[in-house]
Amino acid sequence: MSVNRNGTNGFSCIVMRTEWSWPQLAFRDDIFVPICYDDEGSKKMLPVWMDVARLRAQGLGPRQVYEETMKKFDSGTYQKPARTGIAYMTAPLMRSYPSPDATEVVTMSSPHYMFYAPNVKDTDIGGKPLSVYPFVLPQGPGPHDVIVLLVGQAERTKIIADSTGLLSEPCSYRKFMCIASASRQHE
């Protein structure tokens, strides 16, 4: 892991390659989740993903990575954000599990913003998972959960239009990185 470019606003952006919270499933080599955290998320949320990548690189399996990660949540090593903040995933493409109960990954175009919501549940906000309305997405056992707000259709269309070259390159490299229709919101 290395820094490609240092900025000045405290944001950190990575392409997350390991989904640690599916310990019953084998690690995959086709997970691509571009994510950016503000300064607070860079301090409190990014360390989880960096540690997960390090543990996987050391050869630990999904169950071992999950257990080590949960131990750090339980011990307080991973702390919830101390203030309101934002993370964003406004890349035109990602490949991951579409929901916490999914067992298959999908390639999707679903640009969105995330607001730190420690221990908030959908019932607290009237959230409807995977809808156009805000919903809660688990990012651990609760303290790192976020409220997801999808970008609007006009902004999504612009993101995809501005990223035509970016979308064609991974698609030509690996077919599973193609999105079926750039105009279709992921279901």
Side-chain angles (χ1 to χ4, degrees):
M1 295 175 263
S2 63
V3 174
N4 183 31
R5 181 176 52 179
N6 282 319
T8 58
N9 64 1
F11 271 79
S12 298
C13 297
I14 64 168
V15 176
M16 187 268 298
R17 299 293 314 275
T18 302
E19 290 284 15
W20 67 269
S21 57
W22 280 264
Q24 72 282 12
L25 302 174
F27 283 142
R28 303 177 63 114
D29 69 352
D30 62 345
I31 301 290
F32 298 91
V33 182
I35 186 169
C36 295
Y37 288 109
D38 68 1
D39 185 51
E40 183 66 8
S42 294
K43 293 174 188 167
K44 302 289 177 68
M45 300 177 84
L46 182 62
V48 177
W49 301 113
M50 300 304 281
D51 286 351
V52 163
R54 183 182 48 76
L55 292 171
R56 183 176 178 187
Q58 291 174 355
L60 274 66
R63 174 61 59 190
Q64 294 167 302
V65 170
Y66 178 84
E67 289 171 359
E68 289 298 315
T69 303
M70 291 303 290
K71 282 180 193 173
K72 289 185 175 184
F73 276 111
D74 292 342
S75 72
T77 300
Y78 298 141
Q79 298 178 355
K80 68 181 182 181
R83 63 166 176 78
T84 302
I86 187 168
Y88 63 90
M89 298 174 79
T90 57
L93 176 78
M94 67 183 281
R95 183 166 173 82
S96 187
Y97 297 97
S99 66
D101 60 349
T103 57
E104 294 296 323
V105 299
V106 297
T107 302
M108 61 192 116
S109 181
S110 187
H112 58 277
Y113 301 99
M114 299 175 294
F115 306 93
Y116 310 141
N119 301 308
V120 173
K121 303 295 176 221
D122 278 318
T123 54
D124 298 327
I125 64 166
K128 184 176 178 191
L130 304 174
S131 72
V132 297
Y133 302 104
F135 58 92
V136 174
L137 182 67
Q139 297 277 292
H144 286 139
D145 293 353
V146 293
I147 295 173
V148 173
L149 178 63
L150 299 176
V151 301
Q153 188 58 43
E155 185 177 0
R156 183 176 176 278
T157 299
K158 181 172 179 359
I159 289 169
I160 291 170
D162 290 348
S163 303
T164 303
L166 180 63
L167 288 170
S168 64
E169 189 173 321
C171 183
S172 67
Y173 170 65
R174 308 244 341 238
K175 290 300 175 202
F176 65 75
M177 293 297 289
C178 301
I179 52 176
S181 170
S183 63
R184 193 175 88 201
Q185 187 79 291
H186 103 81
E187 288 109 29

